[in-house]
Amino acid sequence: MERELERGYVKKGPWSREEDEVLLRHVRKYGPREWSSIRSKGFLPRTGKSCRLRWVNKLRPNLKTGCKFSAEEERLVIEMQTQFGNKWAKIATYLPGRTDNDVKNFWSSRRKRLERMLQKPPTLKLQKSKGKTPLTQVLADKVFQAPPCSSNQVEENLCYSTSYMGNTEVFEMINLQDLVKPNYEQMENDYLSAVEVEATPLHTVPSFESSSGNNFPVLPEPLIDFPLFPECQDLVPETFDPNFIDGFDEKKCSEFVCSQKLGTGLPTLGLEENYQITTSNVLFKDFPSEIFEYFEQIPTSTKQ
DNA sequence: AACAAACGCAACCGCATCAAG
DNA sequence: CCTTGATGCGGTTGCGTTTGT
């Protein structure tokens, strides 16, 4: 420890319990700021950045450590990423107890999962499927490989799809098993029609129509409960804008809404360079269900 | 049981932004 | 106005654990 406090020495790697305690003491005394002084005053041989990161990601109160993302959290991340892109810190403000690192890791793992699935060599059934977009191909993969399923399996293969009818966003449930036909030979012949099968709209939610006349999708209030710890107050953004207007000028807003309606703002897990989705009729139904832990079941009542 | 692949997570790095001097 | 240090954010990496074969 003596050596670690020598001038110029910077410790890296995993944090020890003792280091955590020192950092916590500092935060209790001075608040979550002046990170650089922790090193300059000789408390820890860690950089200010490292101290801040440790606090934000592990030591901060009310963190959901060690529990998987819930279905609702998963849904929110997907929605927010569609809206904001890779703005993990912003997305994290809507998920109480989750850090930007959590969200980033979650998304990254799902993206890797998708990438791996796309790289899998096609099966016997799929080798005949040429000239299709990879995402559609993957869905076809899912369809063709899915065995006849029991009723409880059906539930696991439900997924969301959204599209737009005018200014109304339509949520649809896609049951991937519905796309499975028992006759594989027939499926091979016309799988394209199978993957483009129309789903029945189960309910709609109003969107893009705000009282102010601006057309913005309305997002839920961010859920943050930091005020339990006064010293964490500065972690709370000064203003919450549930309608996410602040970052856009009028032109960008117009482009944003336009892209939503055209479907170009759809979640592509960062693969858009290669796998452009061009119509609003493909959203989650273009993602294999395996890449997400949960598939949302449609609520029975219409959203308000 | 052994090995490889996949997964989850913690932490580092580089860059951008902002404020103080 | 410029420089510099502090801070915040997103991308990436490394490693231990879990899962599949």
Side-chain angles (χ1 to χ4, degrees), chain A residues 36 71 76 78 86 97 101 106 109 145-146 175 204 219 278:
Chain A
S36 297
L76 269 173
I78 294 166
N86 297 356
N101 219 30
F106 168 80
S109 70
Q145 290 183 349
N175 180 0
T204 63
L219 300 177
T278 54

Side-chain angles (χ1 to χ4, degrees), chain A residues 163-181:
Chain A
S163 58
Y164 293 97
M165 299 177 65
N167 280 343
T168 301
E169 187 176 17
V170 180
F171 282 84
E172 303 169 344
M173 281 302 289
I174 306 294
N175 180 0
L176 292 169
Q177 296 294 349
D178 286 342
L179 305 181
V180 177
K181 298 173 183 175

Side-chain angles (χ1 to χ4, degrees), chain A residues 98-112:
Chain A
R98 300 295 186 188
T99 69
D100 56 347
N101 219 30
D102 291 335
V103 179
K104 190 165 54 181
N105 283 336
F106 168 80
W107 192 262
S108 166
S109 70
R110 295 305 178 273
R111 183 182 167 179
K112 281 179 188 169

Side-chain angles (χ1 to χ4, degrees), chain A residues 50-118:
Chain A
S50 180
C51 292
R52 178 192 157 272
L53 204 66
R54 182 65 181 173
W55 163 258
V56 168
N57 288 338
K58 290 303 293 180
L59 302 179
R60 207 175 60 179
N62 305 326
L63 288 177
K64 286 183 186 173
T65 49
C67 74
K68 292 176 70 175
F69 274 56
S70 68
E72 175 63 12
E73 287 175 318
E74 194 169 273
R75 187 188 64 79
L76 269 173
V77 170
I78 294 166
E79 280 186 19
M80 299 298 168
Q81 205 279 342
T82 305
Q83 303 270 356
F84 303 146
N86 297 356
K87 301 296 179 186
W88 309 123
K90 188 175 183 77
I91 294 171
T93 65
Y94 291 86
L95 299 163
R98 300 295 186 188
T99 69
D100 56 347
N101 219 30
D102 291 335
V103 179
K104 190 165 54 181
N105 283 336
F106 168 80
W107 192 262
S108 166
S109 70
R110 295 305 178 273
R111 183 182 167 179
K112 281 179 188 169
R113 197 180 292 182
L114 175 62
E115 283 173 340
R116 261 188 292 273
M117 294 180 74
L118 292 173

Side-chain angles (χ1 to χ4, degrees), chain A residues 43-259:
Chain A
F43 294 134
L44 284 174
R46 298 271 186 176
T47 65
K49 289 178 75 166
S50 180
C51 292
R52 178 192 157 272
L53 204 66
R54 182 65 181 173
W55 163 258
V56 168
N57 288 338
K58 290 303 293 180
L59 302 179
R60 207 175 60 179
N62 305 326
L63 288 177
K64 286 183 186 173
T65 49
C67 74
K68 292 176 70 175
F69 274 56
S70 68
E72 175 63 12
E73 287 175 318
E74 194 169 273
R75 187 188 64 79
L76 269 173
V77 170
I78 294 166
E79 280 186 19
M80 299 298 168
Q81 205 279 342
T82 305
Q83 303 270 356
F84 303 146
N86 297 356
K87 301 296 179 186
W88 309 123
K90 188 175 183 77
I91 294 171
T93 65
Y94 291 86
L95 299 163
R98 300 295 186 188
T99 69
D100 56 347
N101 219 30
D102 291 335
V103 179
K104 190 165 54 181
N105 283 336
F106 168 80
W107 192 262
S108 166
S109 70
R110 295 305 178 273
R111 183 182 167 179
K112 281 179 188 169
R113 197 180 292 182
L114 175 62
E115 283 173 340
R116 261 188 292 273
M117 294 180 74
L118 292 173
Q119 285 166 2
K120 273 185 184 173
T123 66
L124 176 69
K125 303 291 178 186
L126 289 166
Q127 283 171 343
K128 294 184 177 180
S129 308
K130 292 180 179 176
K132 309 305 171 192
T133 65
L135 284 172
T136 306
Q137 181 72 31
V138 169
L139 180 60
D141 197 337
K142 168 74 182 174
V143 171
F144 287 133
Q145 290 183 349
C149 58
S150 61
S151 57
N152 61 340
Q153 282 178 306
V154 168
E155 203 171 289
E156 296 170 4
N157 286 282
L158 296 178
C159 67
Y160 260 134
S161 171
T162 63
S163 58
Y164 293 97
M165 299 177 65
N167 280 343
T168 301
E169 187 176 17
V170 180
F171 282 84
E172 303 169 344
M173 281 302 289
I174 306 294
N175 180 0
L176 292 169
Q177 296 294 349
D178 286 342
L179 305 181
V180 177
K181 298 173 183 175
N183 186 335
Y184 279 121
E185 189 178 346
Q186 182 186 345
M187 287 164 59
E188 289 178 45
N189 292 333
D190 63 4
Y191 82 92
L192 181 60
S193 62
V195 298
E196 289 177 343
V197 66
E198 287 291 328
T200 305
L202 296 181
H203 79 278
T204 63
V205 295
S207 68
F208 299 118
E209 292 285 343
S210 71
S211 56
S212 64
N214 291 322
N215 294 329
F216 297 104
V218 179
L219 300 177
E221 289 281 354
L223 304 168
I224 294 187
D225 50 3
F226 287 121
L228 286 175
F229 283 72
E231 66 267 29
C232 308
Q233 197 60 50
D234 68 333
L235 296 173
V236 182
E238 282 187 9
T239 57
F240 291 131
D241 184 353
N243 289 329
F244 179 53
I245 299 175
D246 60 310
F248 287 123
D249 58 28
E250 194 175 339
K251 182 168 176 288
K252 286 179 180 172
C253 287
S254 169
E255 289 171 352
F256 173 74
V257 173
C258 183
S259 74

